[in-house]
């Protein structure tokens, strides 16, 4: 049942998994235990700097938003479609839909000062209501922000409206979250797009199947959101990017519906599935998806391997991809990320795991942890004078049948050894698995302690990977120093392809109190510039949203942007769909 | 060097492989030996009916085309860009670019009555000339047909022009056919799009690499053509569809260029690579491609397996795909195709192969051949009372390193046996490999004997595959009977995906002399109707072209078509690019 005040709601049909509520000011379950122990805090104090006093978020009631600008006639028309409880205008509900979960979103929310809030939040319960709602919104010049799990880290659900639009509504798809059909022969499942990835995974698990899509936002993200943003999960090396899972879909656009039946492949003109996937709510609302699933793996074997340096590890990952023996999850932390993990492992993080790990577990595992046992095994080869690791830790996660895992792992470890890698057993793998969704929780606590933490990512060809790693890392570090807040910059390679891979950067620094957004903007800008200058894509799996919209033209060119504008003009002629996202300027 | 009169020309740089000329009235090298032996002809006479007297094509000089309608000013402007020899208006050159290689194309060409011819044929030698040529064409209202290998079987290079256009030019990309760059670390190669697949394969072979893209048109098809039509090669189960090979590209459109750098993956909005790929020349000219390559396989092991019936074989193929042990090539002939292959094997087709096979080899192998030794092994289990096989033959082609092939083959044959399949050794595989590009040659000879032969294809989910096979096959057979020309209808499954596969139909019937095009049209229409009614895509790898344009809206809907029109309007505002293809009606 739908519970007022929760950010996501129980799916509409055939699935009953109830997501925990989400903190209005941060990530996840409000009851989630603290992840930042005393040791980790001490580490941060030494290397980054923390606030003198904790800086908790303001109370919900203190969050300041403008009164709803929704005209009464528009609200009445919306309620004709979805009823009174389906069109909410109360403070709490509007705040819950005021922002995604990017760093600037959280800075603003915690300060009680979001950049805006939707003037109403709509909760349709049937697909037919989507068309009716879009018609009302077009008639009343209301901007529409499709809202799934609300987990965007690039401003994808910011409540913006275009010129001349009187108000903005959030279209929460949480009640359109059921499984519509399972085709066991074809291994496809058709779902309502508001369904959460976690709920589908649970539902598939009961049938011995898996979607295999595990982004860090897994617990909250919606499947429609994954499609709209071209998500890639942590296991995408094995299961494919979300766009590869999409066999068919239904888009409800202001101009009409686009229904593309599930087919394995086609040559019938340009691939409209790949136009809708990645459209970020700017063309219409993704209402349904047909997704490829697989038999659930019998074995999940996650382990660690250590490489002398980043270059050697990257070469090994390249060989894994190009020799077709990569594990489902393959990640290589650079020296900085490895060093931090090992340092935190010494603060009591231990082996991680749901039951173990102690107070520091979340902090360390979120960046890839090894136990002190592993540290001992590494011995002097990889541990420098100060006891910090001077190599790079990789996590390799194999999934499949016994036979598949045994064969693939055998080949993969051969590749690892050929590149000088040292397998270090399962404890790093277990720690990573236990904490794979922990980083957003940790971020909340870092913010409480006055620490900026942000992640950004790109992808490039193997031939340019090391150079890009160096350039982007340097750009971030330099921008942090220029803000007088030198910090920690670290990175891992993940999401392997035959021709290249992604780079995922994390950086931490002391917040400049009162200047948090300007500080973030300066670093973000420097990183984006380094990425596009270095030949990387501006985003490998976070999407464009609002934050990258200014960079899209650098990637796809003037004519590419013009082509997207033309599509939008056709499908959303009044420009009501998610204005200000993807395309920086409205169609001229 | 470019040789007047040849359909394709030597690539522009770094690659010197010279393709053989193509018959102006049919397929391939004019010196290709006849493939239709006396035994095969007798088989056809008995089961299909042949013309009383051979019907050879008319002489080239007798081909009737209108005088070039190109205004002198336009010709002069074009020649300012590409010189006199770069803009040809002579009869031979125009006839060579008058049509693709679909059945109706050949019927018309052989009769000396093409539906038209380009008013000029352009041969640019540098990418910069493309922009200049498009500008001239826009200024003079000339339709532009991008022309690669000229191998379209769906009317994709038909010299059509839109309303108000004064003439049509073929833009032959054959001189833009060089390798621009090879990135060995990333396993990518950047090429000019006019390069032929065969030339690139040869060039890559010298470096120990392979593109792995082998459509039946392999000997002539251009890489730009593969991209424009979303081609799938015979080994696409192993190497991926052409769209999966494309990492980056450059499109020269009338409105401007779209350059998308090679990247392994991105979440930067809708995937414009997949919009350009499949655009069939209607948005602009694909000028460059960055393609994924792989190490050339050390082992190529092709073999046969026999299944009791189509359903059992299809279940085995499904398991191969879903258990991730499918060979690079996996094809399953249905009972009719298997029966014909075995019957022809008895006519002297023997084991096929380049050296053996006798007069009937090409005919039988083109549909999948087994030797009489294999027939003996099958014994009574699969051979019915009249000696015809009552089962289904599959070809399984494994490629890779020794170890990869051994492991994959071991798993695959386990799946085959689990589904009741009987491995029958390598002779069917050898025969298939030897003749994998032979069918278009055979078609020419069938036409000479008054036999209509046509192929068409679709793809659908596994759960609907058998039903679609039955429905489309029945529709074709019924349409043939309605024309009073009952014939042979056969099919194979190929191009395996986890969620489904393609169906490739071949049918043969006696031509209705003087009514050949109407006869073809009636059968084609019946097949297309059965495909879309049965939930298949209208085309899995032949593209839309002119012949399927009327069916596109059934597949992607009114709004899908409108979205494509909007893209075209943006990139090709004057509508000069390949009018009448992909989109049946011009943008309103």
């Amino acid at each position: 049942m739908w519970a007022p005040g929760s950010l996501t709601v129980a799916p509409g049909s055939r699935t009953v998994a109830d997501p925990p509520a989400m903190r209005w000011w941060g990530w996840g379950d409000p009851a989630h235990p603290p992840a930042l122990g005393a040791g980790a805090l001490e580490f941060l104090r030494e290397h980054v700097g923390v606030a003198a006093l904790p800086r908790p978020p303001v109370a919900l009631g203190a969050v300041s938003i403008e009164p709803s600008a929704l005209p009464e006639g528009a609200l009445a028309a919306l309620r004709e479609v979805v009823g009174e409880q389906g069109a909410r205008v109360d403070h709490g509900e509007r705040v819950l839909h005021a922002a995604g979960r990017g760093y600037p979103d959280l800075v603003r929310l915690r300060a009680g000062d979001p950049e805006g809030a939707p003037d109403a939040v709509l909760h349709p319960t049937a697909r037919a209501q989507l068309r009716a709602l879009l018609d009302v919104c077009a008639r009343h010049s209301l901007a529409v922000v499709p809202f799934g799990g609300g987990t965007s880290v690039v401003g994808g659900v910011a409540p913006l409206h275009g010129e001349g639009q009187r108000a903005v509504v959030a279209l929460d798809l949480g009640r359109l979250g059921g499984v519509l059909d399972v085709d066991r022969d074809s291994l496809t499942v058709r779902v309502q797009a508001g369904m959460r990835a976690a709920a589908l995974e649970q539902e598939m698990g009961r049938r011995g199947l898996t979607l295999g899509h595990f982004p860090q936002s897994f617990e909250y993200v919606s499947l429609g959101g994954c499609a709209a943003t071209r998500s890639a999960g942590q296991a995408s090396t094995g299961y494919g990017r979300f766009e590869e899972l999409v066999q068919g879909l239904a888009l409800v656009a202001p101009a009409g519906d686009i229904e593309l039946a599930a087919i394995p492949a086609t040559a019938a003109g340009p691939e409209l599935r790949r136009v809708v996937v990645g459209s970020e709510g700017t063309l219409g609302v993704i209402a349904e998806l047909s997704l490829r699933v697989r038999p659930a793996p019998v074995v999940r074997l996650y382990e660690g391997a250590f490489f002398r340096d980043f270059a050697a590890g990257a070469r090994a990952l390249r060989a894994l991809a190009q020799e077709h023996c990569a594990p489902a999850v393959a990640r290589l932390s650079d020296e900085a990320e490895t060093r931090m993990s090992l340092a935190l492992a010494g603060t009591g993080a231990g082996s991680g795991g749901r039951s173990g790990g102690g107070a520091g577990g979340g902090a360390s595992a979120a960046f890839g942890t090894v136990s002190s046992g592993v540290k001992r095994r590494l011995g002097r080869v990889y541990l420098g004078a100060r006891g910090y690791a001077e190599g790079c830790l990789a996590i390799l996660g194999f999934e499949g049948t016994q036979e598949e895992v045994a064969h693939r792992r055998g080949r993969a470890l051969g590749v690892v050894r050929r590149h000088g890698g040292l397998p270090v057993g399962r404890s790093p793998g277990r720690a990573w698995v236990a904490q794979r969704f922990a980083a957003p929780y940790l971020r909340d606590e870092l913010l409480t302690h006055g620490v900026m933490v942000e992640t950004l990512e790109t992808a490039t060809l193997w031939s340019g990977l090391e150079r890009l790693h160096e350039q982007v890392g340097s750009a971030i570090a330099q921008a942090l120093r220029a803000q007088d807040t030198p910090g920690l910059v670290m990175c891992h390679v993940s999401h392997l392809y035959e021709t290249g891979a992604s780079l995922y950067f994390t950086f931490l620094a002391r917040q400049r109190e009162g200047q948090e957004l300007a500080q973030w903007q300066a670093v973000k800008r420097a990183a984006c510039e380094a990425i596009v200058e270095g030949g990387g894509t501006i985003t490998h799996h976070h999407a464009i949203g609002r934050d990258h919209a200014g960079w899209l033209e650098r990637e796809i060119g003037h004519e590419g942007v013009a082509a997207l504008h033309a599509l939008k003009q056709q499908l959303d002629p009044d420009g009501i769909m998610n204005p200000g996202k993807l395309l920086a300027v409205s169609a001229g």
Side-chain angles (χ1 to χ4, degrees), chain A:
Chain A
M1 289 302 299
W2 177 71
S6 71
L7 186 64
T8 50
V9 297
S13 67
R14 293 186 59 183
T15 298
V16 292
D18 230 334
M22 192 184 259
R23 293 164 177 158
W24 67 264
W25 52 269
W27 187 262
D29 184 356
H32 194 273
L36 197 63
L41 196 53
E42 189 48 44
F43 176 88
L44 289 168
R45 200 183 311 275
E46 183 185 340
H47 291 87
V48 180
V50 301
L53 291 174
R55 304 171 63 193
V58 302
L60 176 56
V63 176
S64 151
I65 56 176
E66 298 284 321
S68 172
L70 194 68
E72 285 214 0
L75 181 60
L78 294 168
R79 286 184 165 162
E80 264 181 44
V81 181
V82 288
E84 189 156 345
Q85 279 305 306
R88 304 261 305 265
V89 293
D90 53 288
H91 178 267
E93 186 72 358
R94 291 177 59 212
V95 170
L96 275 169
H97 293 79
R101 289 302 178 261
Y103 175 78
D105 297 328
L106 299 189
V107 167
R108 282 179 165 281
L109 283 172
R110 294 169 64 100
D113 183 30
E115 63 184 314
D119 297 288
V121 180
L122 310 177
H123 291 278
T125 54
R127 177 172 160 187
Q129 293 173 349
L130 295 176
R131 159 80 36 234
L133 289 173
L134 293 193
D135 287 349
V136 172
C137 291
R139 210 158 56 234
H140 289 269
S141 288
L142 309 178
V144 179
V145 180
F147 198 100
T151 61
S152 171
V153 291
V154 292
V157 294
L160 309 179
H161 46 79
E163 247 179 84
Q165 284 162 354
R166 302 155 76 181
V168 52
V169 298
L171 185 58
D172 189 319
L173 294 156
R175 290 202 228 180
L176 292 168
V179 171
L180 299 170
D181 185 44
V182 180
D183 178 343
R184 290 216 61 124
D185 282 346
S186 311
L187 290 181
T188 57
V189 55
R190 194 159 65 89
V191 299
Q192 293 178 302
M195 188 171 201
R196 290 173 311 108
L200 178 61
E201 197 59 36
Q202 191 177 357
E203 177 77 17
M204 291 297 98
R206 285 195 203 103
R207 299 160 189 256
L209 300 171
T210 181
L211 181 67
H213 193 72
F214 304 103
Q216 199 168 61
S217 55
F218 173 71
E219 297 160 287
Y220 289 89
V221 74
S222 74
L223 297 165
C226 291
T229 59
R230 298 179 70 180
S231 169
Q234 292 165 344
S236 80
T237 301
Y239 292 93
R241 297 170 60 84
F242 200 81
E243 61 219 56
E244 298 175 87
L245 307 182
V246 175
Q247 310 290 295
L249 51 79
L251 177 81
V252 178
D257 289 8
I258 293 184
E259 295 248 15
L260 300 169
I263 43 170
T266 173
E271 185 46 279
L272 289 178
R273 286 167 189 77
R274 297 283 176 106
V275 169
V276 173
V277 171
S279 60
E280 302 192 14
T282 65
L283 301 180
V285 184
I286 296 173
E288 291 177 10
L289 292 164
S290 286
L291 301 170
R292 186 193 80 197
V293 292
R294 286 186 178 166
V298 178
V299 176
R300 284 199 164 98
L301 195 161
Y302 282 66
E303 63 194 306
F306 226 82
F307 292 91
R308 182 168 298 274
D309 56 27
F310 185 70
R315 280 194 298 271
L317 263 52
R318 170 157 69 87
L320 289 173
Q322 294 182 345
E323 296 175 25
H324 305 126
C325 58
V329 172
R331 304 157 55 94
L332 171 75
S333 292
D334 66 3
E335 287 87 349
E337 195 172 282
T338 302
R339 199 180 302 132
M340 169 140 167
S341 302
L342 290 172
L344 290 179
T347 67
S351 64
R354 286 198 186 282
S355 53
S364 54
F367 305 112
T369 304
V370 299
S371 70
S372 32
V374 169
K375 285 178 78 171
R376 278 193 300 277
R377 282 178 65 184
L378 292 175
R380 298 219 184 100
V381 178
Y382 289 107
L383 296 182
R386 297 171 59 195
Y388 289 160
E390 290 184 341
C392 291
L393 176 67
I395 300 292
L396 307 174
F398 299 90
E399 304 200 350
T401 63
Q402 288 278 6
E403 191 274 344
E404 279 170 347
V405 166
H407 177 74
R408 184 167 284 251
R409 179 166 178 260
R411 291 190 60 208
L413 293 188
V415 168
V416 165
R417 291 197 184 91
R418 174 149 55 88
H419 288 84
L422 176 69
V424 292
R426 302 200 189 173
S427 75
R430 274 197 297 266
W432 182 83
V433 168
Q435 300 291 338
R436 63 194 295 186
F437 308 127
Y441 292 98
L442 174 63
R443 181 176 52 168
D444 282 346
E445 298 192 53
L446 292 172
L447 285 168
T448 295
H449 290 284
V451 175
M452 166 167 71
V453 57
E454 172 66 315
T455 62
L456 52 88
E457 37 76 54
T458 179
T460 195
L461 298 176
W462 288 112
S463 57
L465 194 79
E466 284 175 61
R467 192 176 60 241
L468 190 63
H469 170 252
E470 205 284 314
Q471 287 171 349
V472 176
S474 296
I476 294 170
Q478 191 178 333
L480 287 171
R481 283 195 302 271
Q483 298 280 318
D484 205 23
T485 56
L488 297 174
V489 183
M490 59 198 93
C491 179
H492 61 256
V493 182
S494 57
H495 309 282
L496 313 188
Y497 306 89
E498 289 176 66
T499 60
S502 82
L503 290 169
Y504 190 93
F505 292 88
T506 302
F507 57 90
L508 296 94
R510 182 176 50 78
Q511 283 187 321
R512 289 189 62 186
E513 210 169 324
Q515 301 290 320
E516 294 89 350
L517 293 175
Q519 178 191 25
W520 171 82
Q521 186 65 57
V523 185
K524 176 78 175 171
R525 192 180 300 121
C528 289
E529 186 65 29
I531 284 171
V532 297
E533 279 298 307
T537 174
I538 192 64
T539 174
H540 167 267
H541 62 266
H542 283 169
I544 295 291
R546 171 200 53 200
D547 296 351
H548 295 141
W551 303 92
L552 182 62
E553 187 166 334
R554 296 278 288 275
E555 180 145 343
I556 66 172
H558 177 78
E559 285 308 321
V561 170
L564 296 185
H565 275 301
L567 278 167
K568 181 168 174 70
Q569 178 63 33
Q570 173 62 40
L571 290 167
D572 175 27
D574 298 317
I576 61 172
M577 295 309 307
N578 217 8
K581 323 301 163 50
L582 183 59
L583 299 165
V585 228
S586 67

